[in-house]
């Protein structure tokens, strides 16, 4: 029986998000970061199959160490606000297939920049107990001021008078990305590592490569 078999799934999932969000550590809680991972999810067969990718890279040179792709039946449809319940089971499976666990996970999606402060980056981080960062391609919630076009510039993302992340300029002349705390990392450090993982594209290499694998793009 899956979560979705229960008529009150949203209420149960909401309760779990609110409970687990209290476990999110919003400060640096790690030693040295040597291996960074990117994770993302795509779908096959009109959404019936979930395709999750995990890619690890050496932080020192951003060279790929390992790539893992797993496919498993999709357990839930897309429900706004509850994406992690649809994607995280496959992501966690992919991470277990890695020969060496990463020191930091960059998730394609959001962390505390979520209505209940528990997006998929938080879910992955809390479940694995590995520091994690949410790297969103677009805004889920929050308001922000215009951001300068200078690489490395950022402005705060605000929701209900709380800073839930930043809008970060990684490349001039293109759309910014949305960085938020996932688990066991501060926002300033999340900005630092996100920028450190950018080479010549808008997205940090770990999530860019994971997105490519999960989407099965050549």
């Amino acid at each position: 029986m899956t979560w979705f078999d229960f008529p009150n799934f949203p209420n149960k999932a909401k309760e779990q998000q609110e409970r687990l969000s209290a476990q999110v550590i919003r400060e640096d809680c790690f030693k040295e970061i040597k291996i960074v991972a990117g994770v993302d999810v795509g779908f096959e067969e009109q959404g019936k199959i979930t395709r999750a990718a995990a890619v690890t890279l050496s932080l020192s040179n951003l060279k790929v160490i390992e790539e893992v792709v797993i496919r498993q039946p999709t357990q839930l449809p897309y429900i706004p606000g509850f994406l992690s319940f649809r994607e995280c089971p496959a992501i966690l499976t992919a991470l277990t297939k890695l020969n060496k666990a990463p020191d930091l996970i960059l998730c394609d999606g959001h962390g505390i920049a979520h209505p209940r402060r528990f997006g998929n980056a938080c879910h992955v981080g809390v479940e694995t107990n590995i520091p994690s960062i949410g790297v969103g391609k677009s805004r889920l919630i929050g308001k922000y001021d215009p951001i300068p076009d200078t690489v490395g510039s950022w402005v705060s993302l605000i929701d209900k008078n709380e800073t839930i992340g930043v809008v970060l300029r990684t490349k001039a002349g293109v759309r910014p990305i949305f960085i938020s705390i996932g688990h066991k990392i501060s926002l300033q450090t999340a900005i630092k590592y996100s920028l450190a993982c950018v080479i010549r594209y808008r997205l940090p290499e770990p999530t860019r490569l994971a997105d490519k694998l999960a989407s099965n793009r050549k």
Side-chain angles (χ1 to χ4, degrees):
M1 181 175 288
T2 67
W3 272 89
F4 198 64
D5 290 320
F6 295 94
N8 61 345
F9 163 78
N11 290 330
K12 285 181 173 291
K14 181 179 178 181
E15 291 172 3
Q16 185 169 346
Q17 285 177 331
E18 292 172 343
R19 175 173 55 82
L20 292 175
S21 68
Q23 299 180 24
V24 172
I25 298 173
R26 303 188 184 192
E27 60 186 21
D28 297 334
C29 190
F30 55 84
K31 294 181 180 178
E32 187 176 6
I33 303 293
K34 293 183 178 180
I35 299 174
V36 293
V39 295
D40 195 12
V41 165
F43 295 92
E44 301 176 353
E45 298 181 19
Q46 297 181 324
K48 294 179 181 179
I49 299 297
T50 301
R51 178 185 174 100
V55 184
T56 55
L57 300 86
S58 169
L59 180 62
S60 63
N61 56 19
L62 295 180
K63 299 295 184 183
V64 173
I65 299 172
E66 189 177 4
E67 297 177 344
V68 167
V69 176
I70 66 101
R71 301 168 72 253
Q72 61 186 46
T74 302
Q75 297 298 309
L76 286 171
Y78 170 68
I79 305 174
F82 302 104
L83 185 64
S84 68
F85 292 96
R86 175 174 163 91
E87 296 189 349
C88 282
I91 290 173
L92 295 172
T93 299
L95 287 168
T96 65
K97 302 298 182 182
L98 293 169
N99 290 317
K100 187 172 178 59
D103 303 307
L104 174 66
I105 303 171
L106 276 65
C107 301
D108 188 302
H110 298 281
I112 66 169
H114 179 276
R116 287 167 294 281
R117 308 300 185 254
F118 200 74
N120 64 346
C122 297
H123 213 145
V124 169
V126 169
E127 290 288 347
T128 61
N129 200 34
I130 296 173
S132 59
I133 300 171
V135 182
K137 300 187 189 78
S138 59
R139 180 185 66 90
L140 177 62
I141 59 168
K143 297 180 179 180
Y144 59 95
D145 293 328
I147 178 172
D149 200 37
T150 307
V151 173
S153 297
W154 57 268
V155 294
S156 296
L157 182 64
I158 307 293
D159 180 60
K160 298 177 181 177
N161 297 317
E162 178 186 1
T163 298
I164 58 172
V166 300
V167 187
L168 177 65
R169 182 77 69 190
T170 54
K171 290 292 171 185
V174 299
R175 290 174 297 146
I177 60 175
F178 296 79
I179 300 298
S180 56
I181 292 168
H183 185 49
K184 299 179 76 172
I185 195 166
S186 67
L187 185 54
Q188 288 295 329
T189 304
I191 297 169
K192 169 188 169 183
Y193 281 109
S194 297
L195 285 171
C197 288
V198 171
I199 300 179
R200 58 183 181 275
Y201 299 97
R202 168 187 173 228
L203 295 175
E205 280 298 283
T207 54
R208 187 186 75 82
L209 295 174
D211 173 81
K212 186 176 179 181
L213 276 177
S215 302
N216 198 22
R217 294 197 305 272
K218 300 298 182 182

